[in-house]
Amino acid sequence: MNLENNLAFAKTQDEADELKDFRNQFLFPKHNNKEFIYLCGNSLGLQPKVAKAVLGSQLDNWANYAVEGWFDGDQPWMFYHKELKKLMAPIVGAFPSEVCPMNTLTVNLHLLMVSFYQPKGKRFKIIMEGGAFPSDQYAIESQVKFHGFDPKEAILEVFPLEGEEILRTEDIIAKIEENGSEIALVLFGGINYYTGQWYDMEAITNAGHSIGAIVGWDLAHAAGNVPVKLHDWQVDFACWCSYKYQNSGPGGISGIFVHEKHFGNTELNRFAGWWGYQENKRFKMEKGFIPEAGADGWQISCTQVMPMALYHASLQLFEQAGFIEPLRNKSITLTNYLEFIINEVNINLGFEQYKIITPKDVKDRGAQLSIIAKEQGKLIFDGLVENHVLGDWREPDVIRLSPIPLYNSFEDIYKTGQILLEVTRKVLN
Ligand SMILES: *Cc1c(COP(=O)(O)O)cnc(C)c1O
């Protein structure tokens, strides 16, 4: 398709967009009574309008049933997570039994490492991407220390080649193979938060398995953004937060995935709690932990009904949209359009002020573009916010913009280009 940098073109694209009405299902932030163009769904997704009602119905259950709400009402809390499991599964390519909503992301990363990082003899290392999200770095460092190892020895990080921003799949695989007999766990983020690179998850998973390691993924920036097939790819475990691409609200509940091949494995360590106990005997309150089958057996504390209600509200929109595939198709065209528009800004400026470090190939990226602003990035970013364009800023010089197929339009992108050009000219003159 020939892309055009004009409003009529953007409007035509929006008219033809089958998902265009979903935009009306969300609340956009405002400043001086004017709505923002919101391109920050990679950090915190917008509030679905239905969230208040879905949350409200659980507040009503609490008011009307109090403790009996666990077993009474139209959605008894005891089984409420099962509603979510059905809707979460298609988002990550899993069976409902393989996923469960619980806790928050970094907590789950720790809990899953308790089960799936079991160093033995020479095989004690974890391999991860260099420049991973800090919380993942801290979690992994503290886990290897907990097992008595020095992080400098036990953690292998893969960095891009000198002068490059992006990891090459063949370099990741080579490093896995070189250290084959020493790696206990391969643990990457599905999409890197800084560069927006979507790793070749299937190839990396296969490489990890071929050397006898366990493979886990942090899908914070991938779940709800790109199609993943955790079950088919034989991924051992994964977890994600739901407040980025899945619009569940600040501090929203996390999801975990455990592949069904591990369901019968009684060797796995786990930190147990009563909510992971066999469901039909949970209230017998007996001594001796027997886990519920499937991912549910990793639960520790009782169901967090209110955060789950918020996640539920958003998952229903995903269901109405046809889950990931239609969203991904729109996402590809929206992000391609943003890439084109950023390039148009450079052309209009007459020099390359903006350099996109996110991979060009759509199979290597999701919604997000990470854009280096060569001059005065922070001032320009602040100017964008003042002019009602909300993305986010990452030190030292990166602006991240993420068009979200559920609620962004081509017109948003076109206007962002106009505003970026204007602001840049103002700041650099
Ligand atoms: C957003 C994000 C987190 C945040 O973790 P919380 O425990 O939800 O605060 C962790 N890891 C990655 C890779 C992220 O992108």
Side-chain angles (χ1 to χ4, degrees), residues 105-106 133 135-136 218 220-221 241 243-244:
L105 172 56
T106 311
F133 192 86
S135 199
D136 298 42
D218 181 335
H221 283 267
C241 52
Y243 51 79
K244 289 172 180 162

Side-chain angles (χ1 to χ4, degrees), residues 26 44-48 51 55 84 240-255 306-315 318:
F26 288 89
L44 184 68
L46 291 181
Q47 182 181 143
L55 185 60
L84 276 77
W240 54 93
C241 52
S242 58
Y243 51 79
K244 289 172 180 162
Y245 289 91
Q246 294 180 75
N247 317 311
S248 71
I253 199 152
S254 165
M306 302 307 156
M308 280 193 201
L310 292 171
Y311 192 14
H312 194 195
S314 171
L315 287 170
F318 275 85

Side-chain angles (χ1 to χ4, degrees), residues 305-378:
V305 175
M306 302 307 156
M308 280 193 201
L310 292 171
Y311 192 14
H312 194 195
S314 171
L315 287 170
Q316 288 169 340
L317 294 179
F318 275 85
E319 184 182 31
Q320 287 164 27
F323 290 109
I324 290 301
E325 216 179 281
L327 291 168
R328 172 63 175 165
N329 290 338
K330 176 174 171 187
S331 177
I332 289 172
T333 45
L334 262 186
T335 298
N336 284 348
Y337 191 49
L338 177 61
E339 182 180 45
F340 164 79
I341 287 292
I342 299 293
N343 191 42
E344 287 286 299
V345 171
N346 282 332
I347 290 170
N348 281 309
L349 287 169
F351 55 94
E352 198 197 39
Q353 157 70 1
Y354 298 105
K355 183 180 167 218
I356 298 172
I357 58 173
T358 306
K360 282 197 179 317
D361 195 329
V362 299
K363 76 172 181 6
D364 299 327
R365 72 183 185 200
Q368 172 186 327
L369 293 183
S370 302
I371 304 155
I372 291 182
K374 293 193 179 165
E375 308 278 341
Q376 302 292 351
K378 186 61 171 61

Side-chain angles (χ1 to χ4, degrees), residues 66-331:
V67 71
E68 308 227 74
W70 285 104
F71 292 98
D72 273 348
D74 54 349
Q75 290 171 319
W77 302 327
M78 181 73 185
F79 312 109
Y80 188 42
H81 70 296
K82 295 185 189 197
E83 296 286 314
L84 276 77
K85 285 157 63 79
K86 275 186 261 170
L87 301 176
M88 291 160 72
I91 289 185
V92 292
F95 293 131
S97 59
E98 293 174 314
V99 296
C100 192
M102 63 179 79
N103 312 313
T104 44
L105 172 56
T106 311
V107 171
N108 285 336
L109 204 52
H110 275 295
L111 294 176
L112 290 166
M113 278 194 273
V114 164
S115 296
F116 292 103
Y117 174 52
Q118 303 206 9
K120 276 197 193 79
K122 254 179 56 175
R123 200 182 272 283
F124 66 100
K125 294 187 179 174
I126 300 179
I127 186 165
M128 64 188 294
E129 86 246 41
F133 192 86
S135 199
D136 298 42
Q137 297 185 36
Y138 308 148
I140 293 172
E141 281 169 15
S142 57
Q143 284 279 334
V144 303
K145 281 191 195 160
F146 181 72
H147 284 278
F149 301 113
D150 177 357
K152 283 198 203 72
E153 239 188 294
I155 300 174
L156 299 171
E157 289 175 294
V158 192
F159 285 98
L161 296 175
E162 183 93 27
E164 296 186 7
E165 309 284 349
I166 297 307
L167 284 177
R168 295 170 183 230
T169 306
E170 61 266 29
D171 291 347
I172 300 172
I173 290 174
K175 188 135 180 172
I176 290 173
E177 287 172 352
E178 276 161 30
N179 297 277
S181 60
E182 296 186 333
I183 296 174
L185 174 62
V186 177
L187 181 53
F188 275 66
I191 292 182
N192 181 272
Y193 81 102
Y194 190 81
T195 62
Q197 179 178 12
W198 180 17
Y199 300 113
D200 187 336
M201 293 177 58
E202 189 176 14
I204 294 170
T205 302
N206 287 338
H209 287 158
S210 75
I211 55 111
I214 290 281
V215 182
W217 291 93
D218 181 335
L219 299 181
H221 283 267
N225 176 12
V226 290
V228 295
K229 297 198 166 79
L230 298 181
H231 178 85
D232 289 352
W233 295 342
Q234 297 286 323
V235 167
D236 295 287
F237 71 91
C239 48
W240 54 93
C241 52
S242 58
Y243 51 79
K244 289 172 180 162
Y245 289 91
Q246 294 180 75
N247 317 311
S248 71
I253 199 152
S254 165
I256 69 157
F257 165 88
V258 176
H259 198 283
E260 69 173 2
K261 66 191 171 189
H262 295 297
F263 288 179
N265 185 350
T266 51
E267 306 275 285
L268 293 177
N269 289 324
R270 64 176 112 189
F271 284 172
W274 73 320
W275 226 255
Y277 196 87
Q278 260 188 350
E279 188 181 282
N280 58 1
K281 298 207 181 124
R282 190 176 298 153
F283 290 98
K284 293 205 189 300
M285 309 300 220
E286 283 172 344
K287 210 171 164 52
F289 180 76
I290 306 169
E292 172 65 1
D296 290 15
W298 269 263
Q299 295 174 100
I300 294 184
S301 294
C302 64
T303 297
Q304 297 160 263
V305 175
M306 302 307 156
M308 280 193 201
L310 292 171
Y311 192 14
H312 194 195
S314 171
L315 287 170
Q316 288 169 340
L317 294 179
F318 275 85
E319 184 182 31
Q320 287 164 27
F323 290 109
I324 290 301
E325 216 179 281
L327 291 168
R328 172 63 175 165
N329 290 338
K330 176 174 171 187
S331 177

